[in-house]
Amino acid sequence: MKQTLFEKVWRRHEVAAETPDTPAVLYIDLHLIHEVTSPQAFTVLRERALAVRRPELTFATMDHSTPTRTEQVFGGAPITIEAAAHQVRELEVNCAAFGVELLGLRHARRGIVHIIGPELGLTQPGKTVVCGDSHTSTHGALGALAFGIGTTEVGHVLASQCLLQKKPRTLAINVSGKLAAGVSAKDLILAIIGRIGVAGGTGYVIEYRGETITALDMDERMTVCNMSIEAGARAGMIAPDESTYAYLAGRPRAPQGEAWEMAVGQWRQLPTDAGARFDKEVDIDASALEPMVTYGTNPGMVIPISGTIPQRPGDAAFAKSLAYMGFEQGRPIAEQPVNVVFVGSCTNGRLSDLRDAASLLRGRKVAKGVQMLVVPGSQEVKREAEAEGLHRVFLEAGAEWRESGCSMCLGMNGDLVPKGQYAVSTSNRNFEGRQGVGARTLLASPLTAAASAVRGRVTDPRELM
Amino acid sequence: MDPIKTLRSRTVVLAMSDVDTDQIIPARFLTTTTRSGLGASLFADWRYASDGAPKADFVLNRPEAKGCTILVAGDNFGCGSSREHAPWALTDYGFRAVVSTQIADIFRANALKNGLVPVIVDQGTHGWLMEHPGAEVTIDLESTSLTLPGGQSVQFPLEPFARYCLMNGVDELGFLLGRETEIRAYEQRRAAQASE
Ligand code: SF4
């Protein structure tokens, strides 16, 4: 039988197949946990006197509510939000009590969970990867089946290393054509979401395919898979290939020596067989794409940067969303004044994203009155960026350079967009209040974010290239 | 988890589509390390003014919403973050079912694990419910149907296993722990393959 990448990974992890009466029991190879969605799961283990079944397959970090100011991470300054400090302490206590490896607040390899999984080589092709976080879809860029779960399920995996799952359907997104200069992976995934809608992938696992996808480097592939959830799909996958193996080779937790050769041999079996069928297919031509920017309160409300906000007379929800944003139907998005620019998150907080942003900031200044925050996705990304001098580019331009974490992507740690202000953000969600109460978020690529920071207005990065 | 067989209640209608989990419970309330007490923060940014006073025009603050256990919302409810705090907040507030035309995957899975029944109905039924806030409806798990005040019933999809768990107050963890022999056999099979 010809199989898709998803089917191969799914089948290899079935402890028990789905029946008409019961869901499948799926084995989990890698379980990532963080401070926000794990405490209640550990409470259940305690209540039932259960151990973590395979502690060596679980890996913890802290990222969501952690501070990004150096003095709060490495100096003596306390975490300002007491409840966040409590969560951090609780994760430390839980990991120690249950024997789970933790990259704590001051660890040199700490970072956003979806950045460090691949970076450390923990995420590998063919693995099942879960985390109590919807952007676990990111890890699918390496050919893993990776999806977000809730806290009760975090408890299930801790206690049994398994999950009960209904088998999803498969959606192939076939992308052809070369991305134009100044148009990035972020623009591609925003365009895909604009096309299929924020619920277009519900019930499906997406496989991104085609020459455009194959040509993406691993950082770019992660950006694409990251936002699968924004199209409603729990997981996005890309077949492993030479780029994947080159990325993983030599990473600290990747197999080494003979084990590496064996692993690569197995990974080569994973790509979708020629002629395998998907439940649904969508074709996208990438060659005509422009930089994309959102104008509303969900990621499907997106237009090319040269475009105008659509007109939908009589659509009350649409009108409400625009009222929140302070926008009118039919007006251009370019030249919209901007107050805050955020470069970071698990979507665009990797080294290549920082390089993109720095390329437009070099020798330029952030516009007067604009606050720009650059937050590397991990401490390793931070070190690499500093080794290249990128931090100096940001600092000289007048941007802030922080320690790694989720930061302004969800504003749990106090990094917030003030009420009513406009933020161009490289993160993944422009929901009402996502970056702070009343904050107005415009999602875009690191290039567009940097260009907009320089001009203080929504700007097509190609004007500065 | 309390068993649920039948729910009968007036509805509260939230006339919004794509209601995401950041709206259901904003991130600043996620610093909690317990599950209880989140009902007070449900829909916080819509429900309260910046000084903390309830906004009179928000549906949950109207007197007729009191005691309702069934929430009817627009298309694609529960999209966004995987936070289980969303169903915790809804159930802590008192909701036992959410009705929409489409409910996001992770939210749906989380809801089922917390005794919140996800009810997906057709456009026509949904349209009627949206236009008739406060209608008294019945949700029956035995027949997986929703019955309107006029007596018409529509079926909604619910996997047999999820239905069984809801109706019997069974939690999935117990079921998984009961599969230990199979899980161990699977691990041994994998280990043997790896050393070949
Ligand atoms: S960076 Fe944002 S989207 Fe990514 S894990 Fe953190 S909060 Fe979630």
Side-chain angles (χ1 to χ4, degrees):
Chain A
M1 248 272 289
K2 296 186 170 75
Q3 290 183 323
T4 63
L5 165 63
F6 160 75
E7 277 156 354
K8 292 181 191 185
V9 182
W10 177 275
R11 285 269 190 94
R12 285 171 200 191
H13 291 86
E14 273 178 345
V15 171
E18 194 173 327
T19 73
D21 293 326
T22 49
V25 178
L26 198 69
Y27 197 80
I28 302 305
D29 295 327
L30 174 64
H31 185 200
L32 302 166
I33 61 172
H34 63 80
E35 76 279 20
V36 179
T37 56
S38 68
Q40 295 88 348
F42 282 108
T43 303
V44 170
L45 294 191
R46 284 203 179 82
E47 282 165 6
R48 300 205 184 190
L50 293 165
V52 174
R53 191 172 185 286
R54 298 286 304 270
E56 76 282 13
L57 301 182
T58 301
F59 196 86
T61 189
M62 35 184 83
D63 49 8
H64 281 69
S65 58
T66 53
T68 52
R69 290 189 187 278
T70 304
E71 64 276 17
Q72 285 183 9
V73 178
F74 293 107
I79 300 181
T80 32
I81 302 172
E82 175 45 34
H86 177 70
Q87 252 180 357
V88 163
R89 277 197 304 274
E90 188 138 328
L91 185 62
E92 288 165 353
V93 168
N94 285 332
C95 287
F98 289 89
V100 171
E101 184 176 356
L102 166 69
L103 298 187
L105 191 58
R106 296 181 179 174
H107 198 284
R109 298 298 305 244
R110 188 184 62 84
I112 303 174
V113 61
H114 310 309
I115 304 255
I116 65 171
E119 194 178 81
L120 290 167
L122 283 164
T123 307
Q124 292 161 22
K127 275 191 177 183
T128 45
V129 181
V130 298
C131 173
D133 190 282
S134 60
H135 290 98
T136 309
S137 60
T138 314
H139 307 254
L142 288 90
L145 171 59
F147 53 91
I149 57 178
T151 297
T152 300
E153 290 176 315
V154 170
H156 292 176
V157 181
L158 291 174
S160 72
Q161 204 55 39
C162 291
L163 278 175
L164 293 169
Q165 290 289 303
K166 218 178 108 184
K167 193 173 178 183
R169 288 170 293 169
T170 52
L171 166 61
I173 296 190
N174 306 307
V175 191
S176 59
K178 200 169 169 323
L179 289 169
V183 181
S184 67
K186 179 64 163 289
D187 302 304
L188 171 61
I189 186 63
L190 284 170
I192 290 173
I193 297 163
R195 165 87 174 274
I196 71 173
V198 289
T202 303
Y204 292 97
V205 164
I206 298 175
E207 184 182 332
Y208 301 95
R209 299 163 58 78
E211 54 181 25
T212 319
I213 300 297
T214 315
L216 298 177
D217 67 26
M218 295 311 293
D219 282 8
E220 295 172 314
R221 292 182 190 185
M222 288 186 242
T223 300
V224 170
C225 287
N226 173 273
M227 289 189 74
S228 303
I229 182 74
E230 266 62 62
R234 282 180 80 176
M237 305 176 82
I238 294 173
D241 60 10
E242 296 310 317
S243 305
T244 320
Y245 313 141
Y247 172 91
L248 276 173
R251 297 208 172 247
R253 303 302 174 99
Q256 315 285 339
E258 220 175 286
W260 168 261
E261 297 303 328
M262 264 187 60
V264 174
Q266 286 172 1
W267 296 341
R268 288 189 197 282
Q269 317 289 316
L270 290 169
T272 296
D273 300 326
R277 290 184 55 129
F278 292 87
D279 294 305
K280 193 166 131 185
E281 301 211 28
V282 172
D283 297 325
I284 304 269
D285 175 11
S287 60
L289 292 181
E290 279 185 53
M292 304 291 287
V293 59
T294 64
Y295 60 86
T297 53
N298 74 53
M301 299 173 81
V302 64
I303 46 176
I305 198 156
S306 65
T308 53
I309 296 171
Q311 312 208 25
R312 297 208 195 133
D315 184 337
F318 187 74
K320 184 172 177 293
S321 175
L322 288 193
Y324 178 84
M325 293 300 294
F327 287 161
E328 294 115 50
Q329 314 203 5
R331 62 161 257 202
I333 194 77
E335 299 301 312
Q336 161 64 38
V338 170
N339 311 102
V340 179
V341 172
F342 172 60
V343 173
S345 88
C346 58
T347 314
N348 285 127
R350 283 170 286 269
L351 185 63
S352 56
D353 301 310
L354 303 187
R355 283 183 184 150
D356 274 0
S359 73
L360 294 191
L361 284 171
R362 199 164 278 124
R364 295 191 172 107
K365 293 272 180 221
V366 171
K368 223 167 154 248
V370 173
Q371 183 203 2
M372 182 173 185
L373 196 61
V374 184
V375 182
S378 70
Q379 296 304 104
E380 176 70 6
V381 168
K382 182 167 190 258
R383 266 190 306 280
E384 287 171 347
E386 289 182 348
E388 290 182 15
L390 300 183
H391 65 309
R392 275 198 301 276
V393 176
F394 297 127
L395 291 168
E396 280 162 18
E400 293 174 56
W401 175 245
R402 298 282 186 90
E403 303 299 329
S404 68
C406 296
S407 180
M408 208 179 256
C409 174
L410 90 167
M412 259 193 90
N413 70 337
D415 294 342
L416 293 164
V417 176
K419 190 169 182 177
Q421 293 205 351
Y422 290 91
V424 174
S425 177
T426 67
S427 56
N428 44 52
R429 285 184 176 142
N430 51 347
F431 298 154
E432 268 186 41
R434 168 79 176 185
Q435 297 191 290
V437 178
R440 293 157 161 169
T441 303
L442 286 75
L443 301 175
S445 72
L447 285 172
T448 303
S452 303
V454 169
R455 290 268 178 86
R457 293 168 179 275
V458 172
T459 301
D460 187 331
R462 295 172 296 186
E463 292 172 20
L464 300 188
M465 286 168 73
Chain B
M1 212 164 75
D2 294 332
I4 304 177
K5 298 206 159 52
T6 305
L7 297 168
R8 188 177 171 80
S9 166
R10 282 177 298 109
T11 61
V12 172
V13 172
L14 186 61
M16 299 274 302
S17 46
D18 303 312
V19 173
D20 56 75
T21 53
D22 272 85
Q23 254 40 263
I24 301 173
I25 181 108
R28 62 185 182 280
F29 301 110
L30 305 190
T31 49
T32 176
T33 54
T34 66
R35 268 182 275 192
S36 53
L38 288 166
S41 313
L42 176 67
F43 296 123
D45 290 341
W46 289 338
R47 207 164 133 202
Y48 306 110
S50 45
D51 63 356
K55 293 184 190 169
D57 59 344
F58 185 63
V59 281
L60 290 193
N61 295 329
R62 299 215 191 105
E64 62 271 23
K66 213 169 176 284
C68 293
T69 61
I70 298 175
L71 178 69
V72 177
D75 304 336
N76 192 30
F77 187 81
C79 54
S81 137
S82 66
R83 58 189 72 163
E84 199 161 322
H85 309 69
W88 291 337
L90 285 158
T91 53
D92 188 59
Y93 180 87
F95 286 117
R96 289 292 167 266
V98 178
V99 184
S100 179
T101 50
Q102 190 162 27
I103 296 180
D105 283 338
I106 303 181
F107 177 86
R108 186 174 187 278
N110 285 337
L112 286 168
K113 288 171 181 61
N114 289 281
L116 182 69
V117 186
V119 179
I120 296 175
V121 294
D122 60 275
Q123 292 283 356
T125 309
H126 185 250
W128 189 92
L129 286 166
M130 294 291 275
E131 282 161 24
H132 295 84
E136 177 115 1
V137 303
T138 305
I139 292 168
D140 182 54
L141 289 186
E142 183 66 50
S143 58
T144 55
S145 65
L146 177 145
T147 307
L148 299 176
Q152 313 98 294
S153 280
V154 287
Q155 296 282 129
F156 60 87
L158 189 64
E159 313 80 280
F161 182 73
R163 173 168 158 267
Y164 169 83
C165 290
L166 284 171
M167 291 187 71
N168 296 285
V170 168
D171 81 283
E172 295 180 356
L173 181 54
F175 179 87
L176 272 171
L177 294 172
R179 310 296 284 257
E180 176 59 24
T181 320
E182 282 164 274
I183 298 171
R184 199 167 311 150
Y186 170 87
E187 285 175 332
Q188 281 162 1
R189 218 158 53 230
R190 280 268 300 261
Q193 277 166 8
S195 60
E196 260 167 24

